């Protein structure tokens, strides 16, 4: 009889516990949503007060130049404002880190406060948000053509960008710098192979028309053309035995928007030269050591 009398009590307790748990879940969902809204409202005023997107970037940034090139191709200069990260304290400031915890640029902040870091994310957003303006830059002819563009971009983002600093940063061990330069040479050959796929149809990665892949590659090639030729002894340049890459490079240089980005990035690199950056970070001293291979 004891078991019979206790059962209703157990059922009632279980029901109460279930109701309490459900209430807690509702509370947490509401709290989470409220917190999310509060975080969005708590975004720095400089971002929330803007009436158009803000791209935080500087001219010498190759990753930022990728986004600027897309802006120029799609004629979005009046639709997006470009600001130096220094206007909100720099990359490591509390205000900037609240927008991008990685402390890197470029960073696109939308008028509602949504912050979008990473150059490929920004590039795709600009193309999607402004699909009705200017060229698509997203090849529509076939999934294969889109895949080739994605491949070129992936090789660049995964295997070149993480090591590009060996050309201009320091101090670092000489072995690390030499290994990085060798790896860059390898990836130039890999990208040359990708360039060949649609070479019969035009000078760009996807053939006759430029795409987001061309925007990704070109600013970094400006870096490589400058740094490797001037500081690492690549006397024949980065396009020796890479004819399709050279044809692509010439087409990008001849493009009005490409030429604009070239001048922006090149101007920043020349300022580095004037400031003695390559001597300061140890590049000049390292390259004097002939026991390592620097030119490919």
């Amino acid at each position: 009889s004891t078991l019979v009398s206790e059962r209703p009590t157990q059922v009632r307790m279980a029901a109460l516990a279930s109701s309490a748990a459900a209430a807690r879940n509702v509370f947490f969902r509401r709290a989470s949503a409220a917190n999310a809204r509060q975080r969005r409202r708590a975004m720095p005023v400089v971002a929330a007060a803007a009436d158009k997107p803000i791209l935080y970037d500087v001219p010498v940034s190759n990753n930022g130049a990728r986004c600027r090139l897309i802006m120029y191709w799609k004629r979005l200069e009046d639709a997006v404002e470009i600001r130096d990260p220094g206007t909100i304290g720099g990359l490591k400031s509390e205000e900037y880190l609240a927008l991008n915890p990685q402390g890197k640029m470029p960073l696109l902040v939308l008028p509602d406060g949504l912050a979008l870091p990473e150059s490929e994310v920004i590039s795709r957003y600009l193309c999607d948000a402004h699909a009705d303006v200017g060229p698509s830059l997203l090849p529509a002819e076939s999934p294969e053509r889109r895949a080739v563009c994605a491949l070129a971009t992936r090789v660049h983002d995964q295997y070149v960008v993480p090591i590009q600093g060996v050309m201009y940063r320091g101090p670092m061990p000489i072995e690390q710098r030499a290994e990085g330069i060798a790896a860059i040479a390898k990836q130039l050959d890999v990208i040359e192979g990708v360039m060949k796929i649609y070479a019969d149809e035009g000078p760009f990665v996807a053939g006759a028309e430029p795409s987001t892949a061309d925007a990704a590659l070109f600013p970094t090639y400006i870096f490589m053309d400058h740094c490797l030729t001037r500081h690492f002894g690549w006397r024949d340049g980065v396009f020796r035995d890479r004819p399709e890459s050279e044809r692509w490079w010439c087409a990008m240089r001849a493009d009005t928007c490409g030429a604009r980005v070239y001048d922006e990035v090149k101007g920043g690199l020349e300022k580095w030269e004037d400031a003695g950056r390559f001597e300061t970070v140890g590049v000049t001293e390292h390259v004097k050591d002939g026991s390592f291979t620097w030119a490919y």
Side-chain angles (χ1 to χ4, degrees), residues 29-227:
R29 283 198 298 271
R30 289 175 178 170
S32 179
N35 289 341
R37 289 193 296 271
Q38 183 62 35
R39 285 195 297 271
R40 294 291 287 274
R41 288 196 296 269
M43 285 288 188
V45 175
V46 66
D51 59 359
K52 59 184 177 181
I54 300 171
L55 179 69
Y56 289 99
D57 187 33
V58 296
V60 76
S61 168
N62 61 313
N63 292 313
R66 162 190 196 162
C67 304
R68 298 196 307 271
L69 182 50
I70 287 176
M71 287 173 52
Y72 302 157
W73 271 333
K74 293 183 74 67
R75 301 186 293 277
L76 299 177
E77 292 96 321
D78 294 334
V80 181
E81 180 182 351
I82 300 176
R83 292 185 188 176
D84 189 305
T87 59
I88 56 172
L91 298 178
K92 303 305 178 184
S93 70
E94 182 177 348
E95 190 167 1
Y96 193 88
L97 290 173
L99 296 167
N100 181 8
Q102 307 292 357
K104 295 183 178 182
M105 58 184 173
L107 168 69
L108 184 70
V109 180
L110 304 185
D112 69 353
L114 176 62
L116 297 174
E118 302 299 330
S119 57
E120 178 64 3
V121 173
I122 297 170
S123 298
R124 295 302 294 254
Y125 171 81
L126 292 173
C127 289
D128 289 339
H130 302 278
D132 58 341
V133 179
S136 167
L137 304 177
L138 300 171
E141 293 88 345
S142 69
E144 292 79 13
R145 201 177 298 268
R146 281 180 179 255
V148 167
C149 288
L151 175 60
T153 302
R154 180 68 172 176
V155 171
H156 170 268
D157 291 353
Q158 187 75 14
Y159 302 108
V160 178
V161 171
I163 60 171
Q164 67 179 33
V166 298
M167 296 186 291
Y168 57 83
R169 287 182 182 151
M172 68 177 63
I174 190 171
E175 295 83 3
Q176 178 184 349
R177 196 181 302 280
E179 289 171 2
I181 296 299
I184 288 174
K186 174 184 176 180
Q187 298 309 320
L188 285 169
D189 291 335
V190 172
I191 294 173
E192 170 71 8
V194 178
M195 294 284 190
K196 291 178 180 178
I197 297 173
Y198 288 110
D200 291 342
E201 300 182 27
F204 301 106
V205 174
E209 301 296 331
S211 68
T212 55
D214 300 287
L217 295 174
F218 184 59
T220 303
Y221 270 75
I222 300 172
F223 263 70
M224 293 189 290
D225 179 66
H226 179 96
C227 298

Side-chain angles (χ1 to χ4, degrees), residues 226-242:
H226 179 96
C227 298
L228 298 175
T229 302
R230 189 176 297 194
H231 294 283
F232 291 90
W234 294 38
R235 292 184 177 83
D236 296 325
V238 300
F239 301 108
R240 187 183 71 177
D241 299 327
R242 302 179 181 104

